[in-house]
Amino acid sequence: MKKKLVLLMTGLMVIFLLAACGSKSQDDVVKELNGKLGDLSSYKVNAKMTLKMGADSQVYNVEIWHKDPTFYRVNLKNAEKDQSQMILRNNQGVFVLTPALNKSFRFQSDWPQNSSQAYLYESLIKDIVADKEAKFSSTKDFYVFETKTRYQNNSMLPIQEIKLNKGDLSPAVVKVMDPDRNALVTVEFSKVKFNASFDKDDFDMKKNMTRAQLNLPAMAEGGDKSFSVKYPTLELKGTKLIGEKEVAIEEGKRVVLTYDGKKSYTLVQEKVTAKVASTTPTNVEGDIVDLGLTIGAVSDHSISWSHGGVDYMIASKNLTKDEMVEIAKSVQGDAVK
């Protein structure tokens, strides 16, 4: 009887050991990710990014190229509205290109190292490794991590869920969530190709601008210079709109909104058209900031961006950078006073 019991216990132990050998722990996966990060030389990735803005959602097709150590090309296109922007990093700096308007800006920035980036694989790995309290689970096809984000203003988007394919640890789905766990940014990855090869000029600013413009239906020249004025939907306590002034300019109009109070600021909006071809990008003081629907530039006392053929700028001596970013994001909402 004892012999049978010993055999039974031995058999159960073998079963448990075999089961344990078939699954990886959180430490095992993190160790593999660290190794993959060290060996990562290049990749090409396609993704679909869905941004939830209030009751509406915007979908962008994103093409990401990376070549070690610091070359990046991120092409974001909203197919429905035929709008596109590109973030480019090479030896000359960090550029933001708006092909339809023939606009290019150069930043002296450490992007993408200064914040979480939901569509960059190595950024996701760094987020996982950095969060010692990250939650971990495993499904049939995925390893799932829930981590803190490293956004500059992470009180709005503090949590993210990262799903990695078990086969090669490539990214599958990322959901960036608000404090109530609502997914405001969802990135679904496809066609992940590691150790990708690139041509010599694939990260050249001028070449990328030219190629992007060739894919546009037409350059925005002339046409109607009118536009609908947008008003921030974010309300700051004690701050209210006290003035709206329309100024006639040579090629249309400029609208200046003045908000007064403890957190006073000015919001300027102006319709823009395609610039005459220029080989020199505009140097920008400040840093790149992701506003959801577009890429902007933020400094200590101002933030500027373009969207839908309109240039926007917020200027203030009383707002923090985070407050300017949140107000700018809310201008992309419904146009209401």
Side-chain angles (χ1 to χ4, degrees):
M1 184 69 182
K2 287 184 178 181
K3 186 176 180 180
K4 288 183 178 179
L5 183 60
V6 170
L7 288 173
L8 178 61
M9 293 298 293
T10 302
L12 289 173
M13 288 178 64
V14 170
I15 291 172
F16 289 141
L17 286 171
L18 287 173
C21 292
S23 62
K24 293 180 180 178
S25 69
Q26 180 173 350
D27 288 342
D28 292 334
V29 178
V30 170
K31 185 177 180 180
E32 283 192 34
L33 287 171
N34 260 323
K36 201 163 185 75
L37 184 61
D39 296 335
L40 193 64
S41 61
S42 63
Y43 61 77
K44 290 182 179 180
V45 176
N46 288 348
K48 182 178 78 172
M49 182 167 65
T50 303
L51 307 173
K52 189 174 181 182
M53 311 290 289
D56 300 324
S57 294
Q58 296 284 340
V59 178
Y60 281 78
N61 295 320
V62 189
E63 184 182 52
I64 306 113
W65 292 358
H66 170 52
K67 181 181 178 183
D68 191 60
T70 58
F71 280 26
Y72 290 89
R73 176 185 178 275
V74 180
N75 194 24
L76 303 104
K77 184 175 182 181
N78 183 327
E80 182 181 340
K81 295 187 177 181
D82 197 32
Q83 298 170 353
S84 67
Q85 276 190 308
M86 184 182 295
I87 309 174
L88 194 70
R89 177 168 179 163
N90 57 30
N91 286 332
Q92 283 72 51
V94 178
F95 301 85
V96 173
L97 313 181
T98 306
L101 298 173
N102 201 36
K103 293 172 66 174
S104 60
F105 299 96
R106 177 165 54 196
F107 296 78
Q108 294 302 319
S109 169
D110 61 355
W111 181 92
Q113 306 302 326
N114 54 359
S115 178
S116 291
Q117 308 292 336
Y119 42 72
L120 295 183
Y121 181 50
E122 65 277 21
S123 178
L124 297 174
I125 294 178
K126 290 177 181 178
D127 290 345
I128 291 171
V129 173
D131 188 356
K132 303 306 180 184
E133 299 177 354
K135 297 178 181 178
F136 174 78
S137 61
S138 177
T139 68
K140 179 183 177 182
D141 299 315
F142 305 110
Y143 296 118
V144 184
F145 287 88
E146 182 177 293
T147 78
K148 301 184 188 76
T149 63
R150 294 179 296 118
Y151 292 110
Q152 292 175 355
N153 181 11
N154 71 346
S155 61
M156 301 298 293
L157 295 169
I159 314 164
Q160 62 186 345
E161 181 188 84
I162 303 169
K163 284 186 178 181
L164 304 173
N165 292 300
K166 279 189 170 181
D168 58 359
L169 298 181
S170 62
V173 181
V174 174
K175 294 181 179 180
V176 188
M177 296 173 279
D178 66 14
D180 296 323
R181 307 185 70 80
N182 299 307
L184 301 188
V185 181
T186 302
V187 183
E188 300 168 270
F189 295 86
S190 61
K191 299 182 181 178
V192 179
K193 182 179 181 182
F194 294 118
N195 301 317
S197 59
F198 295 100
D199 293 333
K200 184 179 179 180
D201 59 359
D202 276 347
F203 297 90
D204 181 83
M205 191 277 288
K206 298 175 188 175
K207 295 287 186 182
N208 275 285
M209 178 68 89
T210 300
R211 290 169 185 162
Q213 289 174 341
L214 289 174
N215 292 324
L216 295 173
M219 292 298 287
E221 296 178 1
D224 185 9
K225 303 301 187 301
S226 64
F227 63 95
S228 297
V229 179
K230 295 279 188 180
Y231 303 86
T233 58
L234 179 67
E235 296 182 0
L236 298 177
K237 187 177 181 180
T239 299
K240 62 180 180 178
L241 178 66
I242 63 166
E244 179 173 335
K245 184 179 180 181
E246 183 175 317
V247 181
I249 57 176
E250 184 177 350
E251 296 185 350
K253 69 176 181 179
R254 177 184 296 132
V255 176
V256 181
L257 306 179
T258 303
Y259 288 81
D260 193 24
K262 188 176 179 180
K263 297 287 187 177
S264 62
Y265 64 92
T266 301
L267 171 58
V268 181
Q269 306 175 43
E270 180 179 326
K271 185 75 173 180
V272 294
T273 55
K275 289 187 175 183
V276 176
S278 173
T279 58
T280 305
T282 302
N283 289 314
V284 176
E285 294 292 332
D287 208 350
I288 289 178
V289 60
D290 187 349
L291 298 177
L293 296 181
T294 188
I295 304 299
V298 64
S299 62
D300 288 338
H301 299 298
S302 69
I303 184 170
S304 58
W305 70 99
S306 298
H307 186 252
V310 179
D311 274 349
Y312 298 87
M313 184 187 73
I314 292 172
S316 174
K317 292 183 179 179
N318 301 322
L319 295 176
T320 65
K321 283 186 179 181
D322 289 346
E323 287 169 336
M324 287 191 291
V325 168
E326 293 310 312
I327 293 171
K329 286 181 177 180
S330 79
V331 175
Q332 309 301 344
D334 297 331
V336 294
K337 295 185 182 180

